[in-house]
Amino acid sequence: MPKILLLGAPGAGKSTHSAKTTKDFDIPAIATGDILRDNLKRETDLGKKAQSYIETGELVPDDLMIALIKDRLGEDDTKNGYLLDGFPRTIAQAEELDAYLTDHGSGLDYVIYLNAPKDILVSRIAGRRFCPDCKAAFKASEVPDGVCKACGAELVVRKDDDVATAEKRIEVYNEQTAPLVDYYKEKGILAEFDASGNADDVQAEIDKVLGVE
Ligand code: AMP
């Protein structure tokens, strides 16, 4: 089973495509944003340390994120592959991940890069709703009753999805995360997708690369 990384700016569609791909391969989604939000909710030490960064759209410091991901990748459900969503977000995180994967067998199989222009990212972020229970994501227009289609929980708007914070997150992405595109291109494992269109069409292109029938 593959080890897949979804790379792309906020609003590019990472959680949407993660949902289908993890189901197809029956692998866990490891979304560092979800893990941090759970920690925030439970008021753990990590949650308290991460809160101000998340709420202002900045990145949580590398040392905290690297410790978090090593912990998570050490769990049993990762033995047969997984999909990373939202990690790594800096070159330092990517290098640490590479070193960890080399020590534990083999590296990533695919880096799926979802590319979309800023105006589309901002309008998608402004119109999205999240399920706090099963983590599904929806367009507000698809869920007029505000209820999760997957599990029936009440959907929420993420605090950091307001326009000003969304723009800040895109700026942070361009400065700190976009360099990962070249990093993985040089390793020969990056597949780039135009993620500005319809999600089903983008998923069909991703499926071709991943060999999903
Ligand atoms: P996301 O749900 O992936 O958009 O992440 C929400 C927020 O969590 C980000 O804006 C960051 O503040 C923080 N975060 C998530 N993943 C990382 C990471 N790999 N490195 C640093 N901060 C992160």
Side-chain angles (χ1 to χ4, degrees), residues 10 14 32-34 36-37 53-54 57-62 65 85-89 93 128 158 160 169:
K14 296 190 296 298
T32 44
D34 286 341
L36 290 171
R37 280 185 290 279
Y53 299 101
I54 297 174
E58 300 281 356
L59 293 187
V60 174
D62 284 338
M65 295 311 301
D85 165 358
F87 186 97
R89 262 177 155 95
Q93 291 179 14
R128 66 185 185 181
R158 264 170 59 176
D160 58 346
R169 286 160 59 211

Side-chain angles (χ1 to χ4, degrees), residues 23-168:
K23 212 164 158 193
D24 286 339
F25 287 100
D26 194 20
I27 52 175
I30 301 181
T32 44
D34 286 341
I35 298 174
L36 290 171
R37 280 185 290 279
D38 275 345
N39 275 271
L40 218 77
K41 213 159 130 191
R42 291 187 288 116
E43 300 183 356
T44 64
D45 260 8
L46 173 63
K48 285 177 194 158
K49 285 183 189 151
Q51 182 163 15
S52 64
Y53 299 101
I54 297 174
E55 288 179 355
T56 54
E58 300 281 356
L59 293 187
V60 174
D62 284 338
D63 55 339
L64 293 177
M65 295 311 301
I66 289 162
L68 179 160
I69 206 74
K70 284 184 180 171
D71 249 28
R72 181 63 187 89
L73 292 180
E75 287 178 30
D76 274 352
D77 66 342
T78 62
K79 299 288 176 273
N80 293 318
Y82 46 80
L83 180 148
L84 292 174
D85 165 358
F87 186 97
R89 262 177 155 95
T90 64
I91 294 282
Q93 291 179 14
E95 287 173 347
E96 285 281 346
L97 176 66
D98 276 347
Y100 177 93
L101 293 176
T102 304
D103 280 354
H104 291 79
S106 59
L108 296 171
D109 299 295
Y110 301 98
V111 177
I112 305 289
Y113 168 43
L114 302 170
N115 191 8
K118 186 182 167 190
D119 54 334
I120 291 190
L121 300 174
V122 174
S123 75
R124 275 191 196 155
I125 292 172
R128 66 185 185 181
R129 301 290 179 267
F130 279 92
C131 177
D133 287 355
C134 77
K135 318 296 178 201
F138 302 94
K139 283 186 204 158
S141 56
E142 294 171 344
V143 281
D145 55 357
V147 168
C148 177
K149 287 186 185 178
C151 77
E154 198 166 323
L155 298 171
V156 296
V157 178
R158 264 170 59 176
K159 230 177 175 178
D160 58 346
D161 273 356
D162 66 279
V163 172
T165 315
E167 285 188 341
K168 173 70 188 172

